[in-house]
Amino acid sequence: MFLCAGHAARCGFQNIKIVTVDSDVAVLSIYYQNLLQSSLYLEIGTSTKTKLFDLKRNTIDKNLREILPALHAISGCDSTSAFSGIGKVKCKTVMMSNKRFIEAAKSIGNNYNISDNVINTLEEYMCKLYGTDHTNINEARYHLFTKSKTIPDPNRLPPTRDALYQHIKRANYQTREWKLAMDRFYQWESPVGHGWMDTGGVLNVNWMENKPAPDAVLEFASCKCKKTKCCNKQCKCKSLGLPCTDLCECVNCENEPIASEEQKDDEVVGDDEGMDDDVIDFDDLLDEGDEQFFL
């Protein structure tokens, strides 16, 4: 799509409109506007509810525009997972609060491989995202687990460092592909080894390389219920007052975590039928007084 837009611009077309319901396309439209010689218009929405944006007239912060693809990939897109209870607005706010975070995000996707310095900075960013001052995500995870007076919902804890590393690699790979979207010729690299793995010819997400906890803990805090739907105290998780997790091997489980009101308020969910669940509210990207961005 953007390869075609670039071709149209080179052929002398002054105005180009992109019509989409996909938030990934919307993000890239903002990112690529200043790289095109033509005026780019974005129409996003459904057949019954659409908005038209003149991207040439937008006043989105320059740093935010540059890191938008990376921020979108880190916070969750079509090919990367999101963090439970943490919406894109919070991800943007924390990212823009620290110059080192911004510079690290700018380097995401510049190459297929990502440096240790950038990974360490993004790890610190993730700690801030979960409200701690740690720089080690495992320490932040332990701190949040132990400070709670009750057993916390595991879905509300940060990922392990191993899982975060794989997530960053996926975000970097996806951002790299986006940044090359207008290149007619480039050396494509397989996603295998960049947060994905080849399992018998099928591409699967590589969630982590190591176990999420010691064997003794995994045995203690997971279940294998087949017939009870984890509804009684025979379920190890239920008996501990814990919801079942991906570590469990249960069938037809009904012992799922209940989202708190805080979690419901914090999550960003698209409410327009036919649009992505991770659709971006462009109002959140604009500063007060930027109404001229809308047509």
Side-chain angles (χ1 to χ4, degrees):
M1 182 180 294
F2 291 97
L3 188 62
C4 294
H7 176 71
R10 289 191 297 272
C11 289
F13 289 89
Q14 297 300 311
N15 299 296
I16 301 170
K17 184 172 78 169
I18 292 178
V19 180
T20 185
V21 298
D22 194 309
S23 59
D24 293 359
V25 175
V27 166
L28 292 182
S29 297
I30 296 175
Y31 174 74
Y32 274 119
Q33 166 56 69
N34 285 8
L35 302 180
L36 292 172
Q37 298 176 351
S38 305
S39 295
L40 187 62
Y41 296 85
L42 174 68
E43 182 177 309
I44 185 169
T46 65
S47 58
T48 58
K49 183 180 179 181
T50 61
K51 283 185 178 181
L52 182 64
F53 299 90
D54 179 357
L55 299 183
K56 198 74 172 180
R57 298 168 59 190
N58 82 76
T59 56
I60 293 176
D61 181 88
K62 180 178 180 293
N63 285 324
L64 176 58
R65 185 172 62 247
E66 289 183 23
I67 69 171
L68 204 52
L71 181 61
H72 186 45
I74 290 173
S75 58
C77 62
D78 290 348
S79 58
T80 62
S81 55
F83 299 99
S84 178
I86 297 180
K88 289 186 177 293
V89 174
K90 184 175 182 179
C91 289
K92 181 199 76 171
T93 301
V94 175
M95 181 70 76
M96 297 299 292
S97 68
N98 188 302
K99 291 182 178 179
R100 291 191 301 108
F101 297 163
I102 294 173
E103 292 305 313
K106 286 181 180 180
S107 68
I108 294 176
N110 290 345
N111 297 285
Y112 279 114
N113 296 313
I114 189 166
S115 71
D116 290 339
N117 287 337
V118 172
I119 291 173
N120 291 336
T121 302
L122 292 176
E123 182 177 4
E124 182 182 347
Y125 161 73
M126 193 59 58
C127 292
K128 289 287 186 183
L129 203 57
Y130 279 87
T132 79
D133 292 326
H134 294 83
T135 57
N136 182 297
I137 195 69
N138 285 342
E139 292 178 359
R141 181 179 170 90
Y142 177 78
H143 168 75
L144 292 173
F145 182 84
T146 56
K147 81 168 189 176
S148 178
K149 295 181 180 179
T150 59
I151 298 176
D153 178 358
N155 292 316
R156 301 288 286 177
L157 294 175
T160 63
R161 192 177 198 278
D162 180 35
L164 177 61
Y165 177 56
Q166 297 299 325
H167 178 81
I168 291 173
K169 289 202 295 183
R170 286 190 294 275
N172 181 72
Y173 182 91
Q174 179 59 79
T175 306
R176 177 64 176 166
E177 293 297 301
W178 284 337
K179 286 186 174 181
L180 293 172
M182 287 182 61
D183 288 16
R184 286 175 287 179
F185 306 101
Y186 70 91
Q187 189 65 40
W188 178 81
E189 190 167 317
S190 170
V192 174
H194 296 286
W196 286 275
M197 58 185 177
D198 185 340
T199 308
V202 178
L203 187 66
N204 286 308
V205 173
N206 184 15
W207 294 110
M208 60 186 73
E209 297 283 351
N210 304 317
K211 292 183 178 180
D215 289 337
V217 174
L218 297 180
E219 176 65 23
F220 185 68
S222 62
C223 72
K224 299 181 180 180
C225 304
K226 304 298 182 184
K227 298 180 180 180
T228 63
K229 299 182 180 180
C230 305
C231 291
N232 56 41
K233 296 296 183 179
Q234 291 179 343
C235 171
K236 287 185 180 181
C237 301
K238 189 76 172 180
S239 65
L240 293 170
L242 291 170
C244 292
T245 68
D246 291 339
L247 300 175
C248 299
E249 299 178 17
C250 45
V251 177
N252 297 324
C253 176
E254 294 183 0
N255 183 33
E256 298 178 347
I258 300 175
S260 64
E261 291 302 317
E262 177 186 358
Q263 181 176 356
K264 292 177 182 177
D265 292 341
D266 197 25
E267 288 183 339
V268 175
V269 179
D271 58 1
D272 290 330
E273 183 179 356
M275 297 186 70
D276 286 354
D277 287 342
D278 62 348
V279 68
I280 291 176
D281 186 347
F282 280 85
D283 296 347
D284 294 323
L285 296 179
L286 303 177
D287 296 325
E288 187 176 354
D290 288 342
E291 291 83 0
Q292 74 275 8
F293 186 37
F294 299 92
L295 295 180

